[in-house]
Amino acid sequence: MSMKQRLVFPVIILTLSASLILTSCEKFLDKGPEENLSVEEVFQERNYVERWLYNLYSGLPMEMDFHNVYNTLNPYAGAADELEITPGYAASQSFNRGGVSPSYSHSSWADASTFSRKCNLFLENIHRTPMEESERREWTAEAHFMRAFYNFMALRVYGPIPIYDEILSPGSDFTAIERARFDDCVSFLLEDLNIAIKDLPARRSSAYTGRATSVSAAALKSRLLLYAASPLFNGNSDYSQMKDKNGESLIPVGYDASKWKLAAQAAKECIDLCNANGYELHYSDDRDPVTSYTEIFTKNWNEEVLFAMNVGTAQVWEMCMDPVSLLGAGIYCPTQQMVDSYRMDNGSDPFATDSDGDVIYSDDGKPAVIAESGYVESGFAAAPGAGWPAGVSNMYVNREPRFYASVNFCGQVWKGTSLELWYSGKDGMKIGGTYYTATGYIQKKMADPESNPSGSSPVLNRRCWIYFRLAEQFLNYAEALNESDPGNPDILKYLNEIRVRGGIPALQGSFSQEQMRKLIHQERHIEMAFETHRFFDVRRWKTAAKTDNATIYGIDVHSGSYLQDPAFYKRTVVEKRTFNSPAMYLLPISKGEIEKIPAMVQNYGY
């Protein structure tokens, strides 16, 4: 069987949603007389075809559910060194224990084939539908984007995947389906994305918010090529044993420097397309850096958002970021590593870092303080400041604005209450039982300060989850340009735009390629925190064996009886995580899939 596989389903049960796909949990229509229409009959009716198109969005991953027990959702945030999820049942804990095996099942593999089938049926039958040709081109481009999106979601965690691009006859040999080479997968996705960029509008009216645009496609193209240029997929000999039936490596063993140039070009094309169509970094009306950064995630569909999914009121999500005293759970817990990664308000690092920009810890979990930064770990604030009230630990004083927009700490005021995260405090482990912060911190970034998700009369605003935003494109461009054209002035230009919006000084002077690489890695860690990027960044950089095979620290939530109790602020081991290298850089294909399709090559190490 050729690399390009075909799927066919001659009869479809038409139970698609009549409403737009923007809330993924919407109920589909009740079945009616039309439920057993053939594909040909469906595509002769424009309204049915429109519902089919909307249904292509129904598999968008709910990435904000960090805590969920089901492996089909999102293990990424809690399986990176930025976050700990308190409950032991969270899907991320399988990663943290090194327990990922072929019995582990993740939805992205199935979604790639399921939604490729839906897209393929749409693409091969849309010519039957009576409609304006301009609309047909746009809908076709939309299906191409969605097929590329679902396949990328699988490609980023599994590496090479089968390419499903046509319809397969029922008599075909499904047991011979194979994984394509990684570079062929990238080429296939690029074909889809280039069509989408050409034929989709750059903006949508408010009635169609959430549907793909040319800007969405350009953003995905940028990320795809960035990943393809990175060490995991570009010159990686760790997976040299993984070969197709012709004996060719599924993941490129030889390094190709030109891939970084292609990634830089794609990111710049996306930025230029954004600039031409009114997209820009979001600033609040008062241009306050804390408010500006907060509003990116609470002011829906602001001018920085390139592609997102409306998730309704997201009550559970909000509750996971509220403390116990507000009837929340407080189980999304930034690690001490994440807290330490934030700079001081003067832009300097508080601690010594390695060549990747990660804080260096001694065996007892203490980082080396850089005295010149102004960081002080002992004592408590005598007076309030920009972002902190009086009485809090000096650990949280004079940090950069994004810290105050992203992390809630002991003594901070949140929704009118002063947080008491020590053991016997109103938000602590003694009161909360199973609901408490395991690290001594609660995620604030993305939480809606105006919501009250708990109690008898919840107050909730509608929210969206952002898949792509403009700041990522700036970082993609800076990283790819530093690898392909070090010293290019655009590197500092775009990195500084993010730093200035974040409230820290712009970088000045010249930097070596290695120095700039470190700065870019640090900036991605901070700017994109909790957005599911860190999990993939440390894998594509091949640094996860350091960051994820490590001891995770917090402060001692099992101690303390008042705000300034020194026992509470002791750096403490939260979890000793295991990362089996090189196997865990990719997910294993499920055992059931391998048993059904013997020709499918399993990822190395499983």
Side-chain angles (χ1 to χ4, degrees):
M1 179 176 289
S2 70
M3 176 184 61
K4 295 185 176 181
Q5 309 301 328
R6 311 181 66 115
L7 294 171
V8 69
F9 290 79
V11 178
I12 181 170
I13 304 297
L14 192 65
T15 58
L16 308 183
S17 175
S19 63
L20 278 174
I21 39 64
L22 307 182
T23 302
S24 69
C25 294
E26 293 288 343
K27 297 293 185 182
F28 291 158
L29 290 176
D30 292 333
K31 293 182 180 180
E34 75 278 17
E35 64 181 356
N36 290 322
L37 294 176
S38 69
V39 169
E40 289 78 8
E41 290 170 319
V42 168
F43 278 89
Q44 288 168 7
E45 174 56 58
R46 183 190 178 281
N47 288 340
Y48 291 159
V49 176
E50 187 172 34
R51 296 179 197 178
W52 190 313
L53 178 64
Y54 295 160
N55 183 255
L56 297 183
Y57 291 82
S58 66
L60 290 175
M62 297 284 285
E63 291 195 340
M64 77 294 301
D65 283 339
F66 299 159
H67 63 285
N68 206 292
V69 63
Y70 301 109
N71 293 337
T72 56
L73 294 176
N74 169 31
Y76 309 131
D81 62 347
E82 61 187 354
L83 205 66
E84 173 72 9
I85 311 299
T86 301
Y89 58 70
S92 57
Q93 299 296 351
S94 294
F95 285 83
N96 299 340
R97 292 189 295 265
V100 177
S101 72
S103 62
Y104 180 94
S105 178
H106 190 275
S107 66
S108 61
W109 182 274
D111 286 346
S113 58
T114 297
F115 283 91
S116 287
R117 167 179 61 84
K118 293 182 179 184
C119 291
N120 292 341
L121 284 166
F122 185 94
L123 292 169
E124 297 204 13
N125 288 281
I126 185 67
H127 69 277
R128 305 175 189 273
T129 309
M131 59 193 307
E132 294 292 332
E133 283 304 312
S134 59
E135 188 175 49
R136 192 192 317 276
R137 281 196 304 274
E138 183 178 317
W139 287 14
T140 297
E142 210 165 341
H144 278 289
F145 170 80
M146 294 310 302
R147 185 168 69 175
F149 182 92
Y150 289 115
N151 278 284
F152 175 76
M153 292 293 110
L155 191 72
R156 65 179 182 166
V157 293
Y158 288 102
I161 57 176
I163 291 177
Y164 299 103
D165 66 340
E166 296 176 304
I167 295 180
L168 176 63
S169 66
S172 298
D173 183 4
F174 290 90
T175 65
I177 293 175
E178 300 174 80
R179 302 172 73 179
R181 292 181 303 164
F182 183 84
D183 284 352
D184 291 329
C185 294
V186 172
S187 296
F188 172 55
L189 269 62
L190 286 176
E191 290 176 7
D192 275 345
L193 293 172
N194 287 334
I195 292 170
I197 292 168
K198 178 173 66 73
D199 290 338
L200 285 176
R203 282 196 170 274
R204 296 282 190 180
S205 67
S206 58
Y208 297 103
T209 301
R211 288 175 63 175
T213 64
S214 59
V215 168
S216 309
L220 177 51
K221 179 179 178 179
S222 166
R223 193 186 297 181
L224 169 66
L225 288 175
L226 182 77
Y227 281 32
S230 298
L232 181 61
F233 299 119
N234 187 11
N236 185 1
S237 61
D238 288 344
Y239 298 132
S240 60
Q241 302 93 328
M242 292 170 50
K243 300 180 184 295
D244 63 15
K245 65 182 180 182
N246 298 317
E248 297 187 37
S249 296
L250 289 175
I251 292 177
V253 175
Y255 175 72
D256 183 353
S258 69
K259 291 182 178 180
W260 285 111
K261 184 176 181 180
L262 293 174
Q265 290 173 345
K268 187 58 162 62
E269 287 168 4
C270 181
I271 292 168
D272 290 345
L273 186 61
C274 288
N275 289 340
N277 289 281
Y279 296 90
E280 58 187 7
L281 293 187
H282 176 74
Y283 278 89
S284 60
D285 291 341
D286 61 3
R287 298 185 74 83
D288 175 77
V290 174
T291 307
S292 295
Y293 193 68
T294 298
E295 285 184 355
I296 297 169
F297 311 100
T298 59
K299 187 175 181 180
N300 292 338
W301 300 101
N302 60 75
E303 64 276 23
E304 186 167 334
V305 178
L306 310 185
F307 187 58
M309 175 179 68
N310 283 345
V311 294
T313 52
Q315 183 176 16
V316 175
W317 186 31
E318 297 283 7
M319 289 177 67
C320 288
M321 295 181 284
D322 262 0
V324 171
S325 63
L326 295 179
L327 303 182
I331 59 172
Y332 292 175
C333 316
T335 64
Q336 191 66 50
Q337 278 94 328
M338 187 69 235
V339 170
D340 292 343
S341 72
Y342 288 98
R343 301 182 179 94
M344 304 303 290
D345 58 6
N346 59 12
S348 62
D349 292 335
F351 308 109
T353 55
D354 63 19
S355 60
D356 298 308
D358 298 318
V359 176
I360 301 170
Y361 293 92
S362 61
D363 292 341
D364 61 359
K366 293 182 180 179
V369 175
I370 300 175
E372 294 79 8
S373 70
Y375 176 85
V376 177
E377 187 146 320
S378 61
F380 299 89
W388 69 91
V392 303
S393 170
N394 281 329
M395 296 169 67
Y396 316 129
V397 171
N398 293 325
R399 304 301 289 273
E400 65 162 286
R402 285 176 296 186
F403 170 72
Y404 300 111
S406 301
V407 179
N408 267 325
F409 49 87
C410 203
Q412 179 64 291
V413 177
W414 174 244
K415 297 182 180 179
T417 186
S418 179
L419 298 179
E420 298 182 359
L421 302 173
W422 59 86
Y423 177 75
S424 60
K426 66 175 187 266
D427 304 305
M429 188 177 182
K430 181 178 180 180
I431 303 298
T434 57
Y435 297 123
Y436 68 96
T437 165
T439 64
Y441 306 100
I442 300 176
Q443 180 182 326
K444 182 179 181 183
K445 178 178 174 177
M446 304 177 192
D448 182 0
E450 298 179 356
S451 76
N452 177 17
S454 306
S456 58
S457 301
V459 176
L460 292 160
N461 295 315
R462 292 190 173 273
R463 306 295 308 280
C464 68
W465 173 262
I466 301 171
Y467 295 108
F468 301 104
R469 61 184 178 97
L470 185 56
E472 180 202 346
Q473 301 306 310
F474 287 7
L475 290 166
N476 291 356
Y477 182 45
E479 180 179 346
L481 202 58
N482 187 57
E483 300 300 331
S484 61
D485 186 18
N488 189 304
D490 269 3
I491 301 170
L492 267 184
K493 173 186 174 182
Y494 286 97
L495 200 60
N496 280 335
E497 286 203 36
I498 292 174
R499 288 174 64 96
V500 170
R501 195 266 299 273
I504 56 176
L507 294 166
Q508 304 290 336
S510 59
F511 301 86
S512 69
Q513 184 182 40
E514 291 75 19
Q515 290 171 326
M516 183 54 68
R517 183 182 296 124
K518 174 179 176 176
L519 289 166
I520 292 168
H521 284 200
Q522 286 179 306
E523 204 61 50
R524 285 189 74 96
H525 192 184
I526 295 168
E527 175 69 21
M528 310 305 293
F530 317 138
E531 297 179 54
T532 72
H533 285 271
R534 179 68 172 173
F535 179 93
F536 295 103
D537 281 344
V538 296
R539 279 160 175 75
R540 67 183 179 84
W541 294 330
K542 293 186 68 179
T543 61
K546 172 189 63 178
T547 61
D548 294 0
N549 192 48
T551 299
I552 295 298
Y553 292 97
I555 48 182
D556 192 355
V557 298
H558 299 86
S559 300
S561 56
Y562 58 100
L563 175 61
Q564 297 186 355
D565 189 340
F568 174 70
Y569 297 96
K570 180 182 177 182
R571 290 172 178 263
T572 303
V573 174
V574 173
E575 184 178 43
K576 292 183 181 292
R577 293 184 178 178
T578 299
F579 182 91
N580 299 315
S581 179
M584 285 183 66
Y585 279 103
L586 297 174
L587 283 186
I589 301 171
S590 71
K591 180 181 178 182
E593 197 74 16
I594 295 291
E595 289 174 344
K596 288 186 297 184
I597 309 175
M600 195 73 68
V601 176
Q602 179 62 278
N603 277 333
Y604 177 73
Y606 301 103

